[in-house]
């Protein structure tokens, strides 16, 4: 684990608040007709199963109920980035930052004006 | 040297100075007929049966760590053959039958102990599912019993029948199920294979698979290149990594499963019992420790260790089933990396690459399968074709849809 | 009776007398005593028996690593085996018993194992007990099992409570010795929040056990003052009796607080143990060092203990194992013990130093024999008489009643290793050094191989600052009090005394001797991990805290490798064993899993319902009347509903409110069947596949207005389906304008079914319910009882004219009662899950019994619901061959030829005349009910080629219960196949 | 006729005022109160409407719509940021249905408003040990320096989802799904035994 996940919305939480679905690296073939059976088989079954840096879909069931992409290391259990699934654009290009949970929660004191920064950007995409 | 009470007495007489190594530590030969990657239970059993059943003895088992450093040496030692699906059930029964004569066969006491395995159920629906499973066993001649509360009470009066949340209604019992001393299985197969001429090579990591004209011809290792005619992959937990060396992509994720042992206590639990509401299974080892386990941590991992939330959850399930566990102290926890396949069932198959064979995807159930897996894999390698027993354990079943989904959770590895 | 208490001294409270018992004997101790020290004070040197040979044993240590003095504490449900007497505080009424002996500790039959010990070498059991085959389980194994294990665990329920909690801090300091105290002080002064944890009842670590001074005052006084200073700081939490048990990812530490393990009858409002999960930005590991025993003949005899333990007993508890002592040492710790014991008035015969070049250290006149070893101990269960030494010129005997040994020191590195890092051997310090892979776990003091008090204090201060900095605080230099800086390190350790004439133990508890390890190596178990497993060295309750390094040394010797090459075994949690109770905390009994209650729970209960657990919910299952069993009640409920009208609580269904301009498109992608053209005011049954093409869930969705839908899911899959919907939106199609919220808990939902349903409902609903106005599958927002907002759906899971009515949960009871009231003239009655289930089986409707996760839409006769015109979850994979194989089992109905014959779900299906086998297996029964309408047991089944086999006979085969019967295959719809009632 | 019906709380016959648990000289460590009736609504911004929504809320309710993890209160309505562009609106005591209706009317297509007045059970937990009680259930950092008035956290206690809003130095508003409320109540009560608690 990861024991602590820094949810971009809720801050640092223990992993028992999350549900883990698995590999996030693959794109769902766009729509019917676009994907061949092979592509679909690849999407549904084949796993890179990386030894090292990987990206997984986690759902913050016990918190904001958002699907997140957690980029972490499968050997050291270090966590590099946690991004909302809705805005995730593939593995973050950032160099492996040491954010093994020792960072304080991303949640600042409450923003009293406007809405969450992370999602208002989404409206335009 | 054959092990027996007599050889033990003879050696005691000479101060145990004359024991021979249980296996040789050979340097790799330049080439073998068959190389098995992975010196876990399955790899060693494969080599053993290649030699014993098929007369193929020019075989090397390459193990990157010490013998049994993988899951064979870190599992909760439960054996049973209570499977539902026709592609699994006869295979696991074959395995149980092999266990039953194994120790005499390989001359090593692996403490096969058929203490009985009971799976508890807590609702009508769960009972029906277990009855279906039990009947699937019986239909194949496998022993199975359905125990009601009463029978269960006679067996384990300390179960929490009136649990505040999920009362225990009964259990599916397989008396022939039980436990086996994990390490001894690796050692016994290694010794048995070694005596038949197989080279068991420890601390030899396979780093590449060499192919020529579509065929595999050998492996790169930490001890240099080793040629071979055939390769069998049995690298549980690391299957993706080794298969990728040959360009093979697998429907497998590597996950950590933790296991636990308590301090040794006087006999307290006779049989194996599993909880039906959450994952929890427990038995008592011959040394007196309660060996137990539960669900995987749920995230992909190659780290052989897990985290505390899973530990707590496992223990909560244990207490829900047997409240008097409360004062038992957990001595040690550890983790193993397993292949979780996308339908929860294993793969023993040829691959599309000539002379490359795959044994993978055992999830948390591969210990009980060790003898049959070795037996079938040896058959598949020797004959270049699967045995009927492993004919459903195909690699292409995900593509074709003939999946074997015992837990019925679909294509999500961590749910199986 | 050699052990005794000094007349003066120690940190015990001599004014308090505490009564406790050991093996039935009433004894007394003082406040501040551990069970071990109190037993020594009472002359009870013999405290336990070893695992294999049942050797008599006493304490070797005065702390957490104790392998020998393990006892059963408490009685009944509080019985606790394997409790370390060295860690157990005594309390009034404490009941302790020795263990692993029969019949008594003094006369233990098992000791005859010692005689056969030449047989019981490492791994002997792997080589024998194989013949005859049957004997293993019948004879050998039961004997082995009875002999194995240590103490007894009760089967009684534990009367005590446990809890778990979380704590947060900037700096966690583990260990409250001089290092930990200074670290806590310097970190806290920077402003960081600090938790200081120590496993002992009293903080101070070695300062309580040594006579060294700090800043001119006794160490323990300095400790007390420093603790008081820390306690006064608001940013410091001191946690005594708290063992940090494991280091996990992202700076989370597990810690076990023994809240009430030192009281006879715990206060039930307070947990006896609390499991903490401490989230720390940095951790100072000031866990000290463990003194290594020396492996020599008889090193397990009562009276032999580590040098630091002997000092601890003398200095902290004012007890000693004997009136005279010898010291056997490879380090200067032995000298310190000699001095301390002399100061306490003991006769110290000699210091035997393994080093021929031993440094000159103050001995207070005790003679030193250098370059010599102890080869055996003359002693037995009641104490020792003498030691046998060898200084190269044959054996000599020195009489003494106790022996202190010191083979050097091993830093307590566990917490730094729990995340997989391994310690490395240091040839200068002769110990395994803590790994430094994790910058946030900082080893300090003796845990980092710093041996002198002065340097430990300074290192503690520095590491505390380092930790605070890491946690983001500015620090200032902390003044370090003066203390001696005279302790030198060990010189080359002696892994075992080869000249030993007695048994030299490496692992005390498991009776592993120095001879077992070379044997393991000879047999090929030469890797340290193999040697551990083959010999069981390091696998006992102390996990090799004392013996492992010696074992590594012996193996290195035997294999000609160096210590570094051999390396350690894997360090794993827990640092010391942790009870199930603590790990479970408050999540036991009814708190094992959350409970969900329907808003109609009390309503049903008032009507006499029996409830059944379904997932987290309690659901009303049947409504017995006098003398009814479930079958009679269910039958009555079905007949009444089908003849008149019934009401059933279906509140547990998952309910999701969905809105947004893309809601229609979204829903259309979730369901396999068409939803794009669902008219407003209509409900539709829908099927959801998993992405792998198998059926996931089903339910109805109603279009309440253009962009507003109300979706229901099954009870069992509600959580999963909600999550899947969120996934589909957030991860797959975030561009859709759709909003959704679970409203499962907002609505009480009830089914009103039966020919009179319309008549009853019309009385409380403000809407025209005639067929024209509110036909089959109508769905609308309505008002009930005048003004209560509600939703009404004309859907039927019973096959009757039926409605589902949803009202705000808090009004559920009132509305349900109003319906009962309104229905009275029509003969309304409640029905439960059993009747609901029987009716749906009569109608051939599927539930998760049928759509069990391995079933396709085609299997259950819903192949037509797989749209070919759109993309939806699972579409592509549902087209795989394996999911469309004509050999797949198909949903059918089955009726026994004799309708009175009861059969059960889980039965398999065979062709008549076939012998049961996997090859002849035709399928299985998924659901069974007694059908009151057919007066027959009926079932739904999955049968090969089932749809072509209506009218044929099959055998229902239930080998488990030995119930077999002939049955007819039929359409799964047993009742009203034309759907006339539902449409009526 | 609705006025004649009383909205029954999920804790209908569970609330028995009194003192429980250990009795310490310094008095009970925590006090628990059921807030009932209490109007609750979920507000989720329509796609691209968050800004407009924020303005509308400010205009019509006089509240600055808080960000994720924040709470804002004005004129007896509190808004808690529970998820991105999603809020829980809470108004203790008002007549059922009207909060959601009012919000829906004012917000139109800017947001989805879903009434949860019956779907959520709201409790108040306060007292010197309130934070310690909660810390037995959730790993959220609840220290006064980290979790201050005006903040909220959606988390779990005893596997039950709960929204904890900090309403004062030592007071918290807890809202849980109705069906879980009974077990949750019992669970929280047990966690407070150690310091004694009062049910009001
Ligand atoms: C905690 C736990 C509990 C379990 N409990 C049970 C149970 O109760 N019952 C049951 O039936 N099953 C159980 N299992 C599953 C079972 O242990 C495994 O399925 C089974 O052991 C896998 O087969 P194996 O023995 O061959 O694997 P392993 O012992 O893991 O063998 C694979 C070997 O391959 C080696 N290897 C990997 N890569 C390379 C390379 N590149 N070169 C050379 N060697 C390599 C590894 O070092 C390893 O030794 C459990 C598993 C775990 C982790
Ligand atoms: N040669 C020698 O005589 C010699 C050798 C080593 C150390 N020492 C002396 O010992 C002292 C060492 O001081 P220190 O402060 O580093 O260590 P310490 O031994 O004084 O204190 C360590 C404390 O940590 C506790 N602890 C260990 N693991 C724990 C865990 N997981 N959870 C909770 N508590 C745990 C121990 O019980 C102990 O109380 C110095 O005074 C040093 O001079 C002397
Ligand atoms: C069935 C079984 C029983 C075990 N019993 C003990 C035991 O009694 N004592 C112990 O220290 N470890 C025991 N272990 C755990 C091993 O020490 C070790 O942790 C495990 O094999 C994993 O290896 P690793 O910790 O070296 O990675 C047991 C392991 C298994 C699989
Ligand atoms: Zn979150």
């Amino acid at each position: 684990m990861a024991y602590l996940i820094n949810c971009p919305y809720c801050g640092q939480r223990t992993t028992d608040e999350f549900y883990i679905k698995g590999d996030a690296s693959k794109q769902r073939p766009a729509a019917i007709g676009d994907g061949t059976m092979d592509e679909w088989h690849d999407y549904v079954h084949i796993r890179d199963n990386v030894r090292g840096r990987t990206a997984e879909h986690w759902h913050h069931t016990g918190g904001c109920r958002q699907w997140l992409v957690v980029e972490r290391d499968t050997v050291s259990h270090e966590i590099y980035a946690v991004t909302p699934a809705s805005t995730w654009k593939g593995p973050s290009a950032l160099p492996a930052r040491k954010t093994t949970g020792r960072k304080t929660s991303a949640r600042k004191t409450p923003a009293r004006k406007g809405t969450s920064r992370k999602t208002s950007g989404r409206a335009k995409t | 040297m054959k092990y027996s009470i007599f050889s033990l007495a003879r050696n005691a007489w000479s101060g145990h100075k004359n024991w021979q190594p249980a296996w040789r530590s050979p340097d790799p030969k330049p080439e073998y007929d068959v190389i098995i990657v992975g010196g876990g239970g399955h790899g060693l059993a494969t080599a053993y049966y290649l030699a014993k059943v098929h007369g193929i003895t020019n075989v090397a088992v390459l193990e990157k760590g010490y013998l049994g450093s993988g899951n064979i040496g870190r599992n909760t030692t439960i054996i049973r053959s209570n499977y539902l699906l026709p592609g699994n059930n006869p295979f696991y029964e074959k395995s149980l039958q092999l266990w039953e004569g194994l120790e005499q066969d390989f001359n090593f006491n692996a403490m096969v102990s058929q203490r009985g395995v009971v799976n508890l159920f807590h609702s009508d629906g769960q009972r029906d599912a277990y009855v279906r499973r039990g009947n699937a066993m019986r239909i194949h001649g496998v022993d199975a019993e359905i125990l009601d509360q009463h029978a269960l009470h006679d067996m384990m009066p300390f179960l929490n029948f009136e649990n505040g949340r999920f009362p225990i209604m009964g259990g599916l019992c397989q008396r022939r199920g039980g436990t086996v001393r994990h390490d001894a299985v690796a050692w016994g197969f290694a010794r048995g294979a070694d005596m038949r001429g197989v080279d068991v090579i420890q601390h030899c990591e396979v780093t590449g698979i060499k192919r020529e004209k579509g065929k595999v011809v050998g492996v790169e290792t930490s001890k240099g290149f080793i040629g071979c005619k055939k390769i069998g992959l049995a690298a549980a937990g690391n299957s993706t990594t080794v298969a990728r060396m040959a360009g093979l992509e697998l429907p497998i994720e590597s996950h950590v499963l933790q296991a636990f042992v308590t301090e040794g206590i006087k006999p307290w639990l006779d049989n194996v019992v599993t909880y039906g509401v959450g994952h929890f299974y427990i038995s008592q080892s011959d040394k007196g420790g309660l060996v137990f386990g539960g669900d995987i941590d749920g995230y992909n991992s190659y780290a052989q260790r897990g985290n505390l939330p899973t530990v707590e959850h496992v223990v909560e399930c244990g207490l829900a089933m047997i409240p008097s566990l409360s004062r038992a102290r957990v001595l040690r926890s550890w983790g193993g990396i397993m292949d979780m396949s996308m339908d929860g069932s294993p793969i023993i198959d040829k691959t599309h690459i000539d002379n490359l064979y795959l044994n993978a995807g055992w999830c948390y159930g591969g210990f009980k399968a060790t003898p049959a897996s070795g037996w079938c894999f040896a058959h598949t390698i020797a004959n270049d074709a699967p045995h009927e027993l492993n004919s459903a354990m195909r690699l292409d079943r995900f593509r074709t849809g003939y999946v074997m989904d015992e837990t019925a959770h679909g294509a999500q590895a961590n749910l199986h | 009776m050699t052990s005794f208490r000094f007349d003066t001294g120690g940190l015990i409270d001599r004014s308090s007398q505490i009564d406790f018992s050991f093996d039935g004997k009433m004894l007394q101790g003082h406040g501040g005593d551990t069970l071990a020290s109190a037993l020594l004070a009472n002359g009870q040197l013999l405290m336990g028996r070893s695992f294999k040979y049942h050797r008599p044993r006493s304490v070797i240590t005065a702390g957490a690593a104790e392998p020998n003095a393990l006892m059963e504490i408490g009685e009944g449900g509080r019985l606790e085996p394997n409790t370390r007497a060295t860690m157990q505080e005594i309390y009034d009424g404490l009941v302790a018993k020795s263990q692993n002996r029969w019949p008594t500790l003094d006369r233990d039959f098992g000791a005859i194992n010692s005689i056969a010990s030449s047989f019981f070498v490492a791994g002997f059991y792997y080589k024998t007990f194989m013949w005859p085959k049957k004997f293993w389980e019948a004879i050998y194994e039961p004997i082995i099992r009875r002999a194995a294990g240590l103490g007894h665990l009760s089967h009684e329920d534990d009367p005590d409570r446990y809890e778990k909690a979380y704590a947060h801090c900037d700096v966690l300091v583990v260990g409250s010795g001089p290092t930990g105290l200074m670290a806590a002080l310097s970190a806290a002064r920077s402003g960081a929040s600090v938790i200081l944890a120590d496993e002992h009842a009293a903080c101070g670590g070695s300062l309580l056990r040594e006579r060294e001074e700090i800043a001119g005052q006794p160490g323990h006084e300095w400790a007390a003052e420093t603790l008081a200073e820390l306690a006064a700081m608001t940013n410091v939490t001191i946690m005594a009796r708290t063992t940090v048990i494991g280091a996990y990812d992202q700076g989370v530490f597990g810690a076990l607080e023994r809240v009430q393990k030192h009281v006879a009858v715990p206060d039930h409002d307070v947990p006896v143990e609390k499991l903490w999960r401490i989230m720390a930005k940095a951790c100072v590991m000031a866990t000290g060092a463990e003194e290594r025993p020396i492996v020599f003949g008889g090193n397990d005899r009562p009276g032999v203990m580590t040098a630091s333990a002997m000092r601890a007993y003398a200095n902290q508890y004012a007890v000693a194992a004997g009136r005279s002592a010898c010291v056997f040492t490879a380090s200067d710790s032995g000298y310190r013990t000699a001095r301390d014991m002399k100061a306490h008035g003991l006769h110290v015969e000699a210091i035997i130093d393994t080093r021929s070049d031993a440094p000159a250290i103050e001995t207070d006149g005790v003679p030193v024999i250098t370059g010599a070893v102890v080869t055996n101990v003359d002693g037995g269960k009641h104490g020792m008489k003498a030691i046998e030494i060898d200084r190269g010129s044959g054996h000599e005997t020195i009489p003494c009643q106790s022996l202190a040994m010191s083979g050097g020191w091993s830093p307590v590195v566990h917490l730094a290793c729990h995340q997989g890092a391994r310690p490395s051997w240091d040839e200068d310090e002769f110990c395994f050094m803590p790994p430094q892979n994790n910058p946030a776990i900082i080893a300090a003091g003796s845990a980092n191989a710093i041996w002198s008090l002065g340097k430990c204090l300074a290192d503690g201060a520095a590491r505390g600052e380092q930790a605070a900095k890491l946690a983001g605080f500015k620090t200032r230099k902390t003044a370090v009090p003066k203390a001696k800086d005279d302790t030198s390190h060990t010189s080359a350790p002696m892994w075992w005394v080869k000249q030993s004439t007695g048994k030299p133990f490496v692992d005390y508890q498991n009776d592993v001797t120095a001879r077992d390890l070379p044997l393991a190596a000879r047999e090929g178990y030469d890797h340290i991990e193999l040697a551990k497993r083959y010999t069981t060295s390091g696998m006992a309750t102390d996990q090799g805290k004392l013996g492992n390094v010696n074992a590594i040394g012996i193996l290195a010797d035997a294999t000609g490798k160096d210590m570094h090459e051999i390396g350690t075994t894997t360090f794993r949690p827990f640092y010391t064993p942790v009870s199930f109770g603590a790990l479970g905390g408050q999540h036991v009994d009814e708190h094992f899993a959350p409970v969900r209650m329907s808003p109609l729970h009390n309503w049903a209960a008032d009507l006499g319902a029996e409830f059944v657990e379904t997932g987290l919910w309690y659901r009303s299952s049947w409504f017995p009347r006098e003398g009814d069993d479930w079958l009679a009640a269910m039958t009555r409920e079905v007949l009444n509903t089908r003849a008149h009208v019934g009401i059933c609580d279906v509140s547990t269904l998952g309910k999701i409110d969905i809105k947004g301009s893309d809601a229609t498109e979204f829903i259309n992608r979730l369901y396999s069947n068409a939803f794009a053209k669902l008219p407003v005011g209509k409900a539709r049954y829908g099927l959801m596949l998993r992405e792998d093409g198998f059926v996931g869930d089903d339910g109805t969705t109603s279009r309440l207005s253009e962009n507003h839908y109300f979706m229901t899911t099954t009870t069992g899959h509600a959580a999963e389906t909600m999550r899947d919907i969120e996934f589909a939106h957030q991860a797959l199609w975030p561009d859709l304008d759709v909003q959704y919220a679970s409203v499962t808990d907002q609505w009480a939902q009830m089914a009103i079914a039966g020919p009179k349903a319309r008549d009853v409902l019309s009385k409380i609903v403000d809407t025209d319910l005639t067929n024209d106005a509110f036909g089959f599958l109508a769905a609308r927002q309505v008002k009930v009882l005048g003004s209560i907002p509600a939703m009404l759906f004309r859907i039927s899971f019973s096959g009757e004219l039926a409605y589902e009515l949803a009202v705000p949960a808090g009004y559920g009871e009132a509305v349900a009662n109003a319906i009962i009231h309104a229905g009275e003239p029509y003969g309304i009655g409640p029905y439960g899950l059993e009747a609901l289930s029987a009716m749906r089986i009569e109608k051939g409707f599927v539930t998760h019994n049928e759509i069990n996760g391995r079933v396709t839409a085609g299997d259950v006769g819903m192949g037509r619901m797989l749209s070919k015109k759109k993309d939806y979850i699972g579409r592509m994979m549902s087209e795989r061959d394996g999911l469309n194989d004509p050999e797949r089992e198909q949903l059918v109905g089955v009726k026994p030829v004799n309708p009175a014959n009861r059969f059960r779900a889980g039965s398999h299906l065979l062709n008549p005349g076939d012998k049961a086998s996997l090859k002849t297996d035709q399928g299985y029964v998924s659901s069974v009910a007694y059908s009151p309408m057919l007066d027959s047991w009926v079932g739904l089944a999955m049968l090969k080629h089932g749809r072509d086999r209506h009218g044929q006979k099959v055998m229902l085969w239930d080998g488990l219960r030995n119930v077999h019967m002939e049955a007819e295959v039929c359409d799964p719809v047993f009742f009203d196949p034309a759907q006339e009632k539902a449409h009526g | 006729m609705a006025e004649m019906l009383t909205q029954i709380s999920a804790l209908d016959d569970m609330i028995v005022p009194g003192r429980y648990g250990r009795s310490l000289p310094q008095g009970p460590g925590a006090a628990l109160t059921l807030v009932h009736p209490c109007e609750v609504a979920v507000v989720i911004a329509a796609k691209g409407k968050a800004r407009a929504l924020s303005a509308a809320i400010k205009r019509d309710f006089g509240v600055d719509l808080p960000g994720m993890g924040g709470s804002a209160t004005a004129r007896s309505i509190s808004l808690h940021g529970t998820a991105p562009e999603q809020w829980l609106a809470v108004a203790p005591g008002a007549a059922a249905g009207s909060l959601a209706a009012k919000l829906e009317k004012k917000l139109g297509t800017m947001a989805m408003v879903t009434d949860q007045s019956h779907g959520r059970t709201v409790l108040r937990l306060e007292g010197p040990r309130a934070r310690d009680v909660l810390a037995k259930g959730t790993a959220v950092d609840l220290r006064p320096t980290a979790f201050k008035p005006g903040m909220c956290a959606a988390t779990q206690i005893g596997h039950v989802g709960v929204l904890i809003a900090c309403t004062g130095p030592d007071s918290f508003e807890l809202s849980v799904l109705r069906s879980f409320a009974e077990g949750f109540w019992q669970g929280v009560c047990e966690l407070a035994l150690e310091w004694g608690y009062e049910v009001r």
Side-chain angles (χ1 to χ4, degrees), chain C residues 84-304:
Chain C
R84 289 157 296 165
T86 50
M87 296 300 287
Q88 177 64 49
E89 296 164 62
I90 56 165
Y91 51 81
D92 261 322
L94 169 72
V95 178
K97 285 195 286 285
S98 59
Q99 54 186 35
N100 197 36
R101 81 294 187 268
W102 185 85
T104 66
L105 183 59
D106 207 34
R107 286 172 215 292
D108 179 12
F109 240 64
I112 49 172
N113 283 1
S114 255
I115 299 167
S117 67
S118 63
F119 256 94
F120 297 162
V121 290
F124 74 97
Y125 30 77
Y126 297 121
K127 296 172 179 156
T128 182
F129 301 130
M130 283 177 274
W131 309 269
K133 186 173 165 224
K134 286 255 166 342
F135 272 37
W136 171 249
E137 274 166 34
I139 296 174
Y140 305 136
E141 195 183 30
I143 294 176
I144 289 178
R145 281 188 173 248
R146 263 198 302 278
L150 298 163
H152 292 90
L153 179 66
S154 168
H155 274 125
E156 283 177 46
D157 285 2
D158 187 337
D160 293 334
R161 286 179 56 241
Y162 299 80
E163 279 180 359
K164 303 195 266 203
Y166 295 93
H168 300 255
C169 64
D170 296 313
V171 177
L172 169 66
V173 178
V174 187
S176 67
T179 311
L181 288 174
M182 282 310 294
L185 207 56
S186 68
R189 283 181 182 160
S190 77
S193 61
V194 173
I195 292 177
L196 172 65
D198 196 287
E199 60 191 342
H200 287 283
C203 288
S206 56
L207 296 176
L208 308 179
R209 306 155 165 238
E210 305 282 2
R211 294 187 307 143
E212 285 173 294
E213 298 195 334
I214 299 177
Q217 65 190 100
H220 64 88
E221 282 177 18
W222 178 85
E225 274 178 19
T226 309
L227 281 161
E229 180 181 348
L230 286 167
M233 297 170 85
T234 53
N235 55 334
V236 176
T237 309
I238 299 171
M239 298 174 75
R241 300 191 176 97
T242 303
T243 307
V244 177
I245 56 174
Y248 296 89
D249 290 330
Q250 278 93 35
V252 186
F253 296 81
L256 178 72
E257 184 185 4
R258 300 185 307 282
V259 185
Q260 294 192 89
K261 287 296 203 184
H262 54 296
V263 297
V265 182
D267 182 339
H268 198 67
D269 287 335
V270 181
V272 286
E273 289 183 308
K274 219 185 235 184
L275 180 79
W276 291 93
R277 290 79 117 217
I278 301 174
M279 310 186 182
K281 293 195 188 111
C283 168
V284 177
M285 190 178 78
T287 46
E290 200 70 65
E291 192 163 28
R292 292 194 289 266
I294 305 179
V295 180
F296 61 92
N299 64 345
D300 67 325
R301 291 299 182 197
V304 182

Side-chain angles (χ1 to χ4, degrees), chain C residues 607 640 644-645 760 763 817-829:
Chain C
L607 291 169
N640 189 60
H644 309 290
V645 54
V760 175
K763 295 194 170 176
N817 283 329
I819 291 173
I820 293 266
H821 186 71
E824 251 158 27
Y826 304 93
I828 197 168

Side-chain angles (χ1 to χ4, degrees), chain B residues 66 73-77 181-182 261 287 291 304 331-332 334, chain C residues 529 532-533 538-540 543 570 572:
Chain B
Y66 63 91
R74 51 187 74 241
N75 68 81
T76 42
T77 78
R181 183 91 204 148
H182 53 294
V261 66
K287 270 171 50 196
V291 176
Q304 281 194 342
L331 173 63
R332 187 173 170 100
W334 61 93
Chain C
E529 296 284 9
K532 158 186 154 179
R533 286 156 177 77
M539 298 181 79
Q543 292 284 288
T570 311
R572 295 283 189 184

Side-chain angles (χ1 to χ4, degrees), chain A residues 26 31 107 117 124:
Chain A
K26 301 216 160 146
R107 174 158 50 77
R117 179 176 47 81
K124 293 184 192 75

Side-chain angles (χ1 to χ4, degrees), chain D residues 57 61-63 72-79 89-92 99 102-103:
Chain D
I57 293 274
F61 297 88
V63 188
T73 304
R75 292 190 223 141
S76 85
I77 165 175
S78 301
L79 284 156
V90 180
L99 173 67
K102 202 155 62 186
L103 281 164

